[in-house]
Amino acid sequence: MVRPRIPSRRRFLCQVASAGLGTALFSSHALRALDGLRPLYVGNPLWHYPNRDWERVYRDLYRSDSSFVFLCAPNDTHNCLLRGFVKNGVVTRIAPTYGYHKATDLHGNQASRRWDPRCCQKGLALVRRFYGDRRCKRPLMRQGFKEWVEAGFPRDEKTGAVDPKYLKRGADPFVPVSWDDAFRYSAMALENIARTYSGEQGMARLRAQGYDPLMIEETRGAGTQVLKFRGGMPPLGMTRVFAQYRLANAMALLDDRIRGSGPDDALGGRGWDNYSWHTDLPPGHPMVTGQQTVDFDLCNVEHAGLALIWGMNWITTKMPDSHWMTEARMKGTRIVVIAAEYSATSSKADEVIIVRPGTTPALALGIAQVLIGEKLYDRRYVEANTDLPLLVRMDTGELLRARDVFANYTPPPLTNNIKVLQPGEAPLPIHKQFGPVITEEQRREWNDFVIWDDLRGGPTPLTRDQVADRFTRLGVRPRLSGEVTVRLASGETVACRTVFDVTRQMLDASYTPEQVEKITWAPAKAIRSLARQIARNAERTLFVTGMGPNQFFNSDLKDRAVFLVAALTRNIGRIGGNVGSYAGNYRASFFNGLGQYIAENPFDVETDPARPARVRRYWKPESVHYFNHGDTILRYGKAVLTGKSHIPTPTKAIHVSNSNSLIGNAKGHYDSIVNTFPRVEFIAINEWWWTASCEYSDVIFPVDSWAELKFPDMTISVTNPFLYVFPATPLPRIHDTRSDVEVAQGICHALGEVTGDERYKDYWRFLHDGGMRPY
Ligand code: SF4
């Protein structure tokens, strides 16, 4: 039997190749023709692999033609300088710069390499945003608004209100327009609104529309006062975003044109706030310290023995600075999380105390009760550095004053950091002030305090100068507990106790650990343990408080109670022992030229870059709380709860930059959209990513993303020590966008054309004369 011959792989290939000739037989001629297809035998493929050039395609995926540095600066406030890698004109990927260690301070101290790499996953993925389909790509105008302007701003004859048919925000289509038209229509609207609500007639219209009489009175007849401008988180762009307030200042020119008010009586627009409205402000900080906020750089945690992470999700929300906390823990810092939920930070802690939301003022008071009850407080520090030894009159409940006790008492001059202005004396510019500045009148009114000196057995005056070493040098032993009888200058006697004594009574009566456990659900045992840990860590306990606890009506008490605990245990103002609050960004005050920028006198512009601007603030700050509360003030029956200095004006025009919090993320969004916004006649927004705020605006000004900035800018952070510059980048604009500052300039130019007033142009001359210049 003849076995069928099984063809080899090689033979099979040849057969296949020759099948086209219509035969499976091999001819020598055919085999010669297939010489070129002879198979290649490879021994070890790792040694003899064929040409690998094709791999370059994959390797080159990450090759770039060039790179540039830009600053990522969203609302998280961390600020990371990132490097964008460009290929074929497109940013293909983003990486950290690894350059933070090169930063130095004014004394030449250099940052360590531990600051690198500084970034987070969101920053690395920004390419998707720069090229995303939700970019604001060209100026857009809402159809109804456009028609209202083109129809000559028709209004109700009696009230001046706009016909609702022009106000269908959220339903109207958007129309692409040129930049010139976007500026011109906006300027015309601002002019018309300001004119409509100016003078007696303007105020009558506002009355007819039902606005609160106090708010109408607050306009003082200036229609520009109903124009509201807001830079969202403005320290995130000292020139870009703060441009909104300079724009508000320029509205004084409009008032002058409409009412003929002249530079002395003109009123600008109103500038809306951010930090307090966002509940970023810890309200008890200014109450206790006089500072807007007390804080420290988060890297300080390495110097602490104990860190209380109080209502803050450090790991999740402080991304580039989270490593400081985990590394500190590895080096021995004890981490205690106090939170209403179990968070990513809880899983990194040594101890977690879960509390009911909004109850942590009681927790802090419970800790204070243990500190005093177990005598764990630092008595010397308390005596020399706090107001706890001051005497309180039991008849009035007020602090006893030196003038009440000592006949003809004259407060001595203050020499320890406080500047008292003499009558007629002007304060130094803010950047030259070394400490608090008060008037002679305030000094007289405040007078001095009184303590009870056990060494002398009587009352002793105490000035604000006499703290810390100066207090120790007085050679007194202040009484902390018990009641004393003080003879007043009038001859009467009055029972007095110290602040310490009445505080202790309050704590013992209401805030024992067992009582606090009922309020907070934190176990009494944990409260006692925490108090003892804090006492063991004098100057080494950091209170790292977050934004969450700010959002309750008692949030000022939270801060005040935390400061009480810190004061009892010598944990204020030390590198490893301090109180800090981390939400938003308030550090604009670090930029001492800001006042010149946002309040340069528009009637007296300085066009010489070498000379300082002359300042006159025509715009008035206003809290957007009132607008978010239905554009009303707080009244309770006949009582007006809004203080005189805080009365807002009616809101008829809004221009916002860099924020979605006023519309898209607003508290009570539905109420705002349905009831409040329809009374606003013009809403403009600067955005680079389409948001709900764009959806409800009349004009959308598309602005540059951080990768496309064409003017340098500056910012700062509340979590780290760096001052940042936004570099102007070489990346061509991806869409038809402009800088926020060019938007402000463009509106002013258009106002100049609408009103025939040349001064608007001068106000932004530095911009068109070659870019931003230092102020
Ligand atoms: S931490 Fe914030 S600033 Fe830094 S890269 Fe991430 S998103 Fe940008």
Side-chain angles (χ1 to χ4, degrees):
M1 183 180 143
V2 179
R3 284 175 176 241
R5 196 171 165 200
I6 298 171
S8 69
R9 197 161 64 99
R10 177 183 180 191
R11 182 173 295 274
F12 175 76
L13 278 171
C14 293
Q15 286 173 347
V16 171
S18 56
L21 302 174
T23 175
L25 295 175
F26 303 116
S27 71
S28 58
H29 177 77
L31 282 172
R32 269 200 307 279
L34 292 171
D35 270 357
L37 288 178
R38 281 179 193 284
L40 180 67
Y41 289 96
V42 175
N44 181 343
L46 293 176
W47 290 353
H48 300 283
Y49 210 74
N51 188 328
R52 295 175 59 168
D53 285 356
W54 58 272
E55 289 182 0
R56 197 167 291 146
V57 173
Y58 296 97
R59 295 184 196 286
D60 285 358
L61 280 180
Y62 293 98
R63 207 190 62 192
S64 56
D65 303 328
S66 61
S67 73
F68 67 93
V69 173
F70 68 95
L71 185 69
C72 180
N75 273 6
D76 69 17
T77 75
H78 304 316
N79 304 335
C80 297
L81 282 161
L82 302 176
R83 185 173 289 282
F85 291 89
V86 181
K87 188 172 184 177
N88 299 328
V90 174
V91 180
T92 54
R93 66 190 170 90
I94 292 168
T97 53
Y98 295 94
Y100 275 79
H101 66 279
K102 297 177 194 159
T104 57
D105 69 11
L106 291 175
H107 306 289
N109 300 311
Q110 192 154 351
S112 82
R113 286 187 182 270
R114 291 179 61 209
W115 285 98
D116 294 309
R118 185 170 178 81
C119 68
C120 81
Q121 297 91 326
K122 284 182 286 177
L124 299 183
L126 270 176
V127 166
R128 294 183 181 205
R129 292 279 172 137
F130 299 153
Y131 297 98
D133 58 356
R134 289 175 71 90
R135 276 297 298 269
C136 297
K137 299 171 184 165
R138 64 188 74 81
L140 294 176
M141 198 172 285
R142 187 176 59 78
Q143 178 84 45
F145 171 76
K146 190 164 183 285
E147 288 169 0
W148 181 56
V149 178
E150 288 167 356
F153 302 100
R155 295 175 175 280
D156 182 277
E157 277 184 18
K158 275 194 187 149
T159 65
V162 178
D163 188 328
K165 76 177 182 186
Y166 295 115
L167 291 167
K168 291 185 179 150
R169 299 193 183 104
D172 267 349
F174 286 101
V175 184
V177 294
S178 68
W179 277 98
D180 282 350
D181 280 352
F183 289 142
R184 192 161 54 85
Y185 279 54
S186 300
M188 287 164 68
L190 289 171
E191 197 276 342
N192 178 273
I193 293 166
R195 187 176 293 284
T196 300
Y197 297 107
S198 280
E200 259 313 309
Q201 199 183 6
M203 293 168 86
R205 287 181 178 129
L206 292 169
R207 276 192 289 276
Q209 291 178 30
Y211 285 99
D212 191 292
L214 288 179
M215 293 170 67
I216 298 168
E217 201 179 295
E218 185 67 17
T219 67
R220 291 157 61 191
T224 48
Q225 285 279 290
V226 302
L227 313 178
K228 310 292 171 77
F229 298 86
R230 181 166 185 250
M233 298 272 281
L236 292 176
M238 297 305 298
T239 54
R240 266 179 321 129
V241 192
F242 263 113
Q244 292 299 101
Y245 300 97
R246 187 175 171 91
L247 183 56
N249 216 40
M251 293 303 124
L253 297 174
L254 186 57
D255 186 36
D256 180 39
R257 177 65 55 170
I258 292 171
R259 294 195 303 155
S261 46
D264 286 341
D265 296 326
L267 296 173
R270 292 224 158 190
W272 271 343
D273 65 343
N274 292 264
Y275 192 61
S276 50
W277 186 62
H278 287 167
T279 65
D280 295 342
L281 175 78
H285 281 223
M287 291 179 184
V288 175
T289 69
Q291 287 280 103
Q292 189 172 19
T293 301
V294 176
D295 68 14
F296 48 85
D297 295 325
L298 290 178
C299 58
N300 284 18
V301 67
E302 293 205 323
H303 299 277
L306 176 67
L308 308 184
I309 320 298
W310 194 307
M312 180 179 116
N313 191 354
W314 187 328
I315 293 292
T316 306
T317 63
K318 313 293 168 200
M319 302 76 80
D321 292 307
S322 60
H323 70 102
W324 297 113
M325 193 198 87
T326 51
E327 288 162 18
R329 183 167 177 259
M330 283 194 327
K331 293 176 179 177
T333 305
R334 186 170 170 80
I335 306 291
V336 178
V337 166
I338 298 166
E341 79 290 284
Y342 189 80
S343 68
T345 309
S346 305
S347 69
K348 312 289 180 297
D350 296 288
E351 193 178 332
V352 182
I353 300 176
I354 305 279
V355 289
R356 291 170 62 214
T359 63
T360 52
L363 180 68
L365 292 176
I367 295 168
Q369 197 277 339
V370 177
L371 291 169
I372 294 177
E374 297 188 8
K375 294 196 167 30
L376 298 173
Y377 60 93
D378 184 328
R379 180 169 177 132
R380 283 181 173 234
Y381 180 82
V382 163
E383 286 175 359
N385 295 278
T386 75
D387 62 358
L388 292 169
L390 304 186
L391 290 177
V392 182
R393 293 173 63 139
M394 289 297 100
D395 57 343
T396 61
E398 293 184 355
L399 286 169
L400 184 66
R401 301 288 171 171
R403 65 174 165 241
D404 299 338
V405 182
F406 308 102
N408 305 319
Y409 179 77
T410 307
L414 296 179
T415 58
N416 185 16
N417 205 37
I418 297 176
K419 166 72 180 166
V420 181
L421 295 175
Q422 298 308 309
E425 184 183 357
L428 288 170
I430 202 154
H431 60 285
K432 292 189 178 164
Q433 294 172 7
F434 56 82
V437 177
I438 61 172
T439 62
E440 179 72 23
E441 192 187 345
Q442 283 172 315
R443 173 78 184 102
R444 263 201 312 277
E445 187 191 326
W446 289 359
N447 205 252
D448 287 326
F449 307 112
V450 182
I451 57 170
W452 186 270
D453 178 13
D454 270 342
L455 286 181
R456 294 181 185 84
T460 295
L462 191 73
T463 73
R464 283 176 167 74
D465 276 355
Q466 290 160 335
V467 293
D469 290 348
R470 290 188 183 220
F471 181 89
T472 309
R473 287 202 294 272
L474 282 177
V476 294
R477 192 195 299 152
R479 173 170 295 202
L480 286 184
S481 302
E483 187 174 292
V484 291
T485 302
V486 178
R487 179 170 296 281
L488 302 182
S490 63
E492 297 168 69
T493 56
V494 62
C496 293
R497 291 166 62 195
T498 61
V499 176
F500 181 90
D501 203 52
V502 292
T503 302
R504 177 168 64 181
Q505 183 187 2
M506 185 266 293
L507 294 174
D508 288 347
S510 308
Y511 294 98
T512 64
E514 284 68 25
Q515 288 167 311
V516 170
E517 177 175 337
K518 287 184 193 152
I519 301 169
T520 63
W521 294 354
K525 202 172 150 196
I527 297 167
R528 286 202 173 83
S529 159
L530 193 52
R532 292 166 191 159
Q533 290 179 59
I534 297 169
R536 278 200 299 276
N537 282 282
E539 299 191 5
R540 298 188 73 228
T541 299
L542 288 176
F543 298 81
V544 197
T545 57
M547 180 181 190
N550 290 347
Q551 304 190 2
F552 298 93
F553 282 113
N554 56 14
S555 54
D556 65 306
L557 297 179
K558 172 264 301 179
D559 300 316
R560 296 163 77 171
V562 166
F563 272 110
L564 174 62
V565 172
L568 287 168
T569 54
R570 201 170 10 114
N571 277 305
I572 294 180
R574 310 287 166 160
I575 289 178
N578 208 350
V579 178
S581 178
Y582 301 89
N585 195 343
Y586 72 94
R587 282 190 181 172
S589 47
F590 277 65
F591 293 87
N592 58 23
L594 183 64
Q596 292 201 56
Y597 178 57
I598 60 175
E600 179 168 10
N601 187 343
F603 294 97
D604 184 19
V605 175
E606 177 55 69
T607 54
D608 180 354
R611 300 176 58 159
R614 288 169 292 283
V615 170
R616 177 143 186 186
R617 182 159 63 78
Y618 287 98
W619 66 277
K620 184 164 182 193
E622 178 180 298
S623 180
V624 74
H625 277 102
Y626 303 102
F627 178 73
N628 193 216
H629 180 59
D631 212 12
T632 58
I633 55 174
L634 294 179
R635 286 179 179 272
Y636 186 75
K638 288 186 179 165
V640 177
L641 303 183
T642 303
K644 275 188 187 157
S645 58
H646 284 61
I647 299 284
T649 55
T651 302
K652 305 307 281 181
I654 299 173
H655 182 193
V656 178
S657 157
N658 198 49
S659 174
N660 188 29
S661 67
L662 178 62
I663 308 177
N665 297 339
K667 298 156 193 163
H669 173 84
Y670 179 85
D671 180 44
S672 293
I673 292 296
V674 173
N675 299 316
T676 310
F677 278 96
R679 302 213 287 174
V680 182
E681 298 169 1
F682 170 57
I683 305 175
I685 188 147
N686 301 357
E687 262 303 354
W688 62 271
W689 189 257
W690 190 268
T691 61
S693 300
C694 299
E695 205 67 44
Y696 288 97
S697 291
D698 300 321
V699 177
I700 293 103
F701 295 106
V703 291
D704 301 331
S705 71
W706 303 307
E708 303 158 292
L709 297 190
K710 295 294 160 263
F711 301 101
D713 200 1
M714 299 162 288
T715 185
I716 194 168
S717 169
V718 293
T719 55
N720 62 77
F722 300 101
L723 283 173
Y724 294 87
V725 167
F726 290 85
T729 74
L731 187 74
R733 284 167 165 149
I734 299 164
H735 302 289
D736 185 11
T737 57
R738 294 193 185 176
S739 167
D740 294 82
V741 72
E742 286 175 295
V743 174
Q745 176 202 33
I747 289 176
C748 268
H749 274 209
L751 270 169
E753 276 160 27
V754 168
T755 59
D757 189 339
E758 278 294 306
R759 292 174 295 189
Y760 289 100
K761 276 190 186 163
D762 284 342
Y763 206 45
W764 300 88
R765 186 176 293 281
F766 60 90
L767 196 59
H768 46 92
D769 272 3
M772 305 297 282
R773 64 171 163 84
Y775 267 82

